[in-house]
Amino acid sequence: MGKIVMLTFDVEQDCPPFAETRRGMEEGLPRVMDLLEEFEIRGTFLFTGRIAEEFPELARRAGKKHELGCHGLEHERFDRLPQGEAERRLREAMETLSQFGEVISFRAPNFQFPDEYYGILAKLGFKVDSTKARHKGWRRGVMELHGLLEVPATTTSIVTRLPWALQRGFHRRFESPIVYIFHPWEFVDMPKRLRPDCWFGTGRGALEKLRKLIEFHLGNGARFMTLREFYEEYQKLKRTRG
Ligand SMILES: [Zn+2]
């Protein structure tokens, strides 16, 4: 059976907190959406509330043609915020994002979200979390966790910025469901004065690699899904199994 592949995009300012520019949204994201739509693939675009306010057309497009999710209010570290403040910010992000579509999926900035804050997510209507990540030491697969469905991220976006010949082997080995993480700023040339992981492998070539990745998985019979579609299928399976 073909693998399930989820393309997720954390939609934030350029390489936070190291840059304050928005070129990812101005130049990168429209190209990414064009590419996915060319293949009739839906991606999951996890916006910060602020970026959705600044780029309503992109948020609307994500909500209409893809899945719109949440990546915090302004890319804050939730593990450094008291619970009340975390809730206030998530509520504000949810209010903004809901104008552009129903939001049920979340990924915390920097993969940092305290376990005891999951109750806030459930209360605000989130159903899927993709904050846990293999490259951050999470070793378990998809599971129900603190009232949400945890769909762990498979790999850091550094892998998908390697030369294609080098990254190909990874894609073959990754276990289904594969959850990739990308950022809009990876698809524009990021300045070399920033730290290397902000510019390594960024630019036009990144879009070509994304195309190759899509073609590679399609060639192997993979099924592309959004986090929401995966959640819905998981619920359906659960009901059938009783
Ligand atoms: Zn982020």
Side-chain angles (χ1 to χ4, degrees):
M1 211 173 79
K3 291 177 183 176
I4 290 173
V5 177
M6 290 171 261
L7 303 177
T8 71
F9 299 82
D10 292 353
V11 183
E12 57 196 30
Q13 61 271 38
D14 298 342
C15 205
F18 306 104
E20 278 300 328
T21 49
R22 306 283 191 267
R23 289 177 53 226
M25 273 60 66
E26 291 155 2
E27 306 162 44
L29 198 52
R31 289 182 203 139
V32 168
M33 287 180 168
D34 287 347
L35 178 71
L36 265 57
E37 288 160 22
E38 178 191 323
F39 283 99
E40 297 185 353
I41 288 172
R42 279 189 295 278
T44 299
F45 294 88
L46 303 141
F47 276 65
T48 68
R50 293 281 182 252
I51 292 294
E53 275 170 3
E54 286 177 47
F55 298 90
E57 285 314 313
L58 290 174
R60 199 164 291 125
R61 184 169 170 188
K64 205 167 150 191
K65 300 203 167 166
H66 301 272
E67 178 190 5
L68 176 69
C70 176
H71 192 45
L73 179 62
E74 44 196 18
H75 213 268
E76 54 279 274
R77 284 274 303 251
F78 285 100
D79 58 326
R80 293 176 184 166
L81 293 173
Q83 189 154 351
E85 179 61 11
E87 176 165 351
R88 191 193 68 71
R89 284 165 174 263
L90 283 167
R91 190 179 296 278
E92 190 179 335
M94 196 56 150
E95 275 162 14
T96 301
L97 293 170
S98 303
Q99 301 168 40
F100 306 105
E102 195 200 7
V103 172
I104 64 163
S105 299
F106 176 74
R107 177 177 296 125
N110 299 90
F111 306 98
Q112 300 295 337
F113 199 77
D115 278 355
E116 58 275 23
Y117 289 8
Y118 273 68
I120 305 172
L121 297 177
K123 189 160 84 180
L124 293 175
F126 289 102
K127 300 194 184 309
V128 185
D129 176 66
S130 184
T131 295
K132 306 288 188 197
R134 292 201 176 271
H135 61 279
K136 295 277 173 181
W138 182 255
R139 288 287 164 261
R140 302 169 77 173
V142 172
M143 65 182 293
E144 288 172 40
L145 188 70
H146 311 306
L148 277 88
L149 185 67
E150 190 65 46
V151 184
T154 304
T155 180
T156 150
S157 61
I158 290 286
V159 170
T160 42
R161 284 190 256 153
L162 292 170
W164 176 252
L166 285 180
Q167 53 169 288
R168 209 183 135 88
F170 285 97
H171 304 304
R172 203 183 297 281
R173 286 193 300 273
F174 285 146
E175 281 172 32
S176 180
I178 309 177
V179 178
Y180 290 106
I181 303 175
F182 301 91
H183 305 87
W185 49 266
E186 293 174 286
F187 299 92
V188 299
D189 272 311
M190 291 287 285
K192 298 255 191 319
R193 59 182 162 75
L194 299 169
R195 51 184 252 181
D197 55 330
C198 287
W199 55 260
F200 170 78
T202 62
R204 281 278 188 173
L207 197 69
E208 269 322 293
K209 286 172 204 163
L210 178 56
R211 176 184 290 278
K212 284 201 164 78
L213 182 146
I214 291 171
E215 287 169 347
F216 171 85
H217 282 302
L218 284 176
N220 287 299
R223 216 154 45 100
F224 286 85
M225 297 178 106
T226 61
L227 286 171
R228 171 196 289 273
E229 288 163 343
F230 183 81
Y231 168 81
E232 285 165 356
E233 194 156 301
Y234 183 91
Q235 295 302 324
K236 215 184 293 171
L237 265 173
K238 208 170 107 176
R239 278 196 299 275
T240 346
R241 284 178 188 158

